[in-house]
Amino acid sequence: MKRSERLVDFTNYLLNHPRKLTTLSFFSERYKAAKSSISEDLVIIKRIFDETEVGTVETFAGVSGGVVFTPAISDKNSQEIASEIAALMGESNRILPGGYIYLSDILGSPKNLDKIGKIIAHEYVGKQIDAIMTIATKGIPIAQAVSSILDVPFVIVRRDPKVTEGATLNVNYMSGSSSKVENMTLSKRSLAPGQRVLIVDDFMKGGGTLNGMKSLVHEFDCLLAGVAVFAEGPFKGERLISDYKSILKIDSIDVEKRSIDVTLGNIYTEEK
Amino acid sequence: MKRSERLVDFTNYLLNHPRKLTTLSFFSERYKAAKSSISEDLVIIKRIFDETEVGTVETFAGVSGGVVFTPAISDKNSQEIASEIAALMGESNRILPGGYIYLSDILGSPKNLDKIGKIIAHEYVGKQIDAIMTIATKGIPIAQAVSSILDVPFVIVRRDPKVTEGATLNVNYMSGSSSKVENMTLSKRSLAPGQRVLIVDDFMKGGGTLNGMKSLVHEFDCLLAGVAVFAEGPFKGERLISDYKSILKIDSIDVEKRSIDVTLGNIYTEEK
């Protein structure tokens, strides 16, 4: 195979195997080419992926060496995308009775979800994450987007156990906004002890739901790798959770004036 | 930019813009290269995408011409993937009390979902589809996977209206398995009249839920583009829906012997 042909397949292969170590021998065999040629290919791919901010290509020498592609966006690109989505969120026709915000179109767009997935994944580059956890319903698309970038499975917590889940582990939690005790449940076989779990959700108010998921992580003898939300809403009083990352922050919603004040979340405003 | 460098970016660009027509002028400008060079690049990409079954690359001449990449898998590859997933489904430890099957791990794996999305999208190549519809909870990952391949939005039907959805359109439907009348609801602003909607879900028994979604499509003055499910289960009696596609078919579940008889669905067994 010629270099030009190899590069097309090589690019496609790496994009489809994020965060996986593949040996140079594999490519050498696949393309019937010398390892030195493969290394030269990688130099080209690495440069273009760097320049176009597709992600990083790292090569590791030695017996257990190989190449790993990590999808990534730059801090600048991440912030640009977040600003675009913030502009969408600020549209006045999103305000629903009771001061709720209509988000289903934003979170039903595969392009937006891919961006949201990349932004959240970008915050955990270099950290080991074995699974993504979210709660039905609207957290699911976000969990799936992040899971696709990190190439790890996602698990869906529910408020009521379902017959299709088998034995479940249940926890009670205190809703941060309404101060009611609620229940959440996750299939026993969803997680194995010791796994590192990243919790994601679409929207945070008081943080009660996220806090519930944190306790689920502990009940499964898993480790918490992080908590990330698409948007945090306005909340008076103390949140039940303090260590989280948010892409967007809604400072206020004025139902009468039909205006939403959306700014960038703590991913962009707090020091790392 | 050299051809080798162009090809890396070009490949990435096409993969990230499925089913979108992009003019050659755009690439000519992007790479500061003559259109003849761009055309030559495309010949290489087209050949490799064909050979490795990544998808088709079509070029259209003329003023409104350009290039369109359509992710695709071959019938053979589709069937191989379905067989792999069928083998997973047949594992005896998936059987739950009541003869239900545990699927959450299969439908929580981004790799599997990508494959399922490609198989379903492959069945509707050449058809216009403007939106994917599914019902919460377990249809969502499938809808998102298909929507990502087709690059169209997905909408989530719910069994109960939520305050975050605004005005909703509700329909009653008859459950095929339990013969109860149930309710489903979708935000009024989810779909526009005249859109072509593909309905997807994870599991079909009597077809009542799918039938309910079909009536929702009609109530929105939309057109039905198709109905596809990941798996159809065993069902005695007449289904409420006849025109659907399935990837897998569960012929029988023997709870006592802990065996599941899984075969390929009608995508592979019926003439097209």
Side-chain angles (χ1 to χ4, degrees):
Chain A
M1 217 187 234
K2 285 190 209 162
R3 161 148 299 147
S4 56
E5 296 175 323
R6 279 203 308 264
L7 284 171
V8 172
D9 185 72
F10 213 149
T11 301
N12 179 51
Y13 188 93
L14 292 176
L15 291 173
N16 280 294
H17 294 81
R19 293 161 52 100
K20 288 277 173 291
L21 182 81
T22 313
T23 62
L24 296 194
S25 312
F26 171 83
F27 293 109
S28 179
E29 180 65 26
R30 184 178 177 100
Y31 302 132
K32 310 282 179 240
K35 280 197 194 167
S36 57
S37 304
I38 300 295
S39 294
E40 286 162 30
D41 294 350
L42 277 171
V43 170
I44 299 170
I45 295 174
K46 190 177 160 56
R47 185 169 63 236
I48 299 298
F49 277 18
D50 270 352
E51 283 173 13
T52 55
E53 299 188 344
V54 170
T56 57
V57 175
E58 291 167 289
T59 44
F60 300 95
V63 186
S64 59
V67 54
V68 176
F69 163 65
T70 309
I73 50 177
S74 64
D75 289 346
K76 183 166 158 281
N77 194 1
S78 168
Q79 187 158 344
E80 278 167 8
I81 295 170
S83 301
E84 278 170 35
I85 300 177
L88 279 181
M89 290 260 296
E91 294 166 352
S92 62
N93 60 0
R94 299 197 170 276
I95 302 179
L96 299 172
Y100 292 95
I101 302 178
Y102 184 77
L103 289 178
S104 300
D105 59 332
I106 294 179
L107 301 182
S109 145
K111 278 269 184 297
N112 286 341
L113 287 168
D114 182 59
K115 290 170 182 171
I116 292 166
K118 278 183 180 150
I119 291 175
I120 293 178
H122 179 63
E123 293 304 303
Y124 300 93
V125 162
K127 278 210 179 174
Q128 196 195 319
I129 291 169
D130 304 308
I132 312 292
M133 175 188 284
T134 193
I135 188 158
T137 305
K138 295 214 292 208
I140 300 173
I142 295 177
Q144 185 168 348
V146 178
S147 107
S148 163
I149 305 284
L150 296 180
D151 201 15
V152 297
F154 62 93
V155 302
I156 302 171
V157 177
R158 292 160 173 271
R159 294 184 202 271
D160 311 294
K162 284 271 170 350
V163 288
T164 51
E165 298 294 317
T168 56
L169 214 158
N170 310 296
V171 298
N172 293 312
Y173 67 100
M174 182 77 94
S175 153
S177 7
S178 65
S179 294
K180 276 193 295 193
V181 176
E182 315 227 23
N183 182 60
M184 60 169 70
T185 172
L186 180 60
S187 173
K188 265 284 286 168
R189 50 174 115 181
S190 294
L191 294 170
Q195 287 194 300
R196 296 180 170 267
V197 180
L198 171 63
I199 295 172
V200 305
D201 205 357
D202 61 327
F203 205 82
M204 176 178 73
K205 282 162 108 181
T209 309
L210 291 167
N211 215 23
M213 284 196 270
K214 271 175 74 169
S215 60
L216 254 184
V217 168
H218 294 300
E219 291 300 336
F220 271 90
D221 292 322
C222 287
L223 302 163
L224 185 68
V227 176
V229 296
F230 169 63
E232 55 177 307
F235 188 71
K236 289 192 187 80
E238 189 130 1
R239 284 218 161 90
L240 294 171
I241 189 164
S242 56
D243 191 15
Y244 63 89
K245 297 189 184 232
S246 63
I247 299 178
L248 298 178
K249 185 165 186 287
I250 295 162
D251 286 319
S252 63
I253 302 168
D254 189 326
V255 181
E256 218 165 283
K257 289 187 185 155
R258 301 195 69 72
S259 76
I260 309 172
D261 187 7
V262 187
T263 56
L264 294 182
N266 67 18
I267 285 179
Y268 308 100
T269 54
E270 284 178 14
E271 269 185 60
K272 291 190 184 174
Chain B
M1 217 187 237
K2 283 191 211 163
R3 160 147 302 144
S4 56
E5 297 175 322
R6 279 203 309 264
L7 284 171
V8 173
D9 184 72
F10 213 147
T11 299
N12 178 52
Y13 187 92
L14 291 177
L15 291 173
N16 280 295
H17 294 80
R19 292 162 54 99
K20 286 277 174 293
L21 182 80
T22 313
T23 62
L24 296 194
S25 311
F26 170 84
F27 293 109
S28 179
E29 178 65 27
R30 185 178 177 100
Y31 302 132
K32 311 279 178 244
K35 279 195 196 170
S36 57
S37 305
I38 300 297
S39 294
E40 286 162 29
D41 293 350
L42 277 171
V43 170
I44 299 170
I45 295 174
K46 188 176 162 58
R47 185 169 62 238
I48 299 298
F49 277 19
D50 271 350
E51 282 173 14
T52 55
E53 299 187 343
V54 170
T56 57
V57 175
E58 291 167 289
T59 44
F60 300 95
V63 186
S64 60
V67 54
V68 177
F69 163 65
T70 310
I73 50 176
S74 64
D75 290 346
K76 182 165 159 283
N77 194 1
S78 167
Q79 188 158 342
E80 278 168 8
I81 294 169
S83 301
E84 277 171 35
I85 300 177
L88 280 180
M89 290 260 295
E91 292 165 352
S92 62
N93 61 0
R94 297 195 172 278
I95 302 179
L96 298 173
Y100 292 94
I101 303 179
Y102 184 76
L103 289 179
S104 300
D105 59 334
I106 294 180
L107 300 182
S109 143
K111 278 270 183 298
N112 287 341
L113 287 168
D114 183 58
K115 290 171 183 171
I116 292 167
K118 278 183 181 151
I119 290 175
I120 293 178
H122 179 62
E123 293 303 304
Y124 299 94
V125 162
K127 277 207 179 176
Q128 197 195 317
I129 291 169
D130 304 309
I132 313 291
M133 175 189 282
T134 194
I135 188 158
T137 303
K138 295 213 294 208
I140 301 173
I142 295 178
Q144 185 168 348
V146 178
S147 108
S148 162
I149 305 284
L150 296 180
D151 200 16
V152 297
F154 62 94
V155 301
I156 302 170
V157 176
R158 291 160 173 270
R159 294 183 203 270
D160 311 293
K162 285 269 167 358
V163 288
T164 50
E165 296 296 316
T168 57
L169 213 157
N170 309 297
V171 297
N172 293 311
Y173 68 101
M174 182 79 92
S175 152
S177 8
S178 65
S179 295
K180 275 192 296 190
V181 176
E182 315 227 26
N183 182 61
M184 60 170 68
T185 172
L186 180 61
S187 171
K188 264 285 284 167
R189 51 174 114 180
S190 293
L191 294 169
Q195 285 194 303
R196 294 178 172 271
V197 180
L198 172 63
I199 295 172
V200 305
D201 207 357
D202 61 328
F203 204 82
M204 176 176 74
K205 284 162 109 183
T209 309
L210 291 168
N211 216 22
M213 283 196 270
K214 270 175 76 169
S215 60
L216 254 185
V217 168
H218 294 301
E219 291 300 334
F220 271 90
D221 292 322
C222 287
L223 302 163
L224 185 68
V227 176
V229 295
F230 169 62
E232 54 177 306
F235 188 70
K236 290 193 184 79
E238 188 131 3
R239 285 214 159 94
L240 293 171
I241 191 166
S242 57
D243 190 16
Y244 64 89
K245 297 187 185 233
S246 64
I247 299 178
L248 299 178
K249 184 165 185 289
I250 294 161
D251 286 319
S252 63
I253 302 166
D254 189 327
V255 181
E256 219 164 280
K257 290 187 185 152
R258 302 195 68 72
S259 76
I260 310 172
D261 187 7
V262 187
T263 57
L264 295 183
N266 66 18
I267 285 180
Y268 307 101
T269 54
E270 285 179 13
E271 271 186 58
K272 290 189 181 169

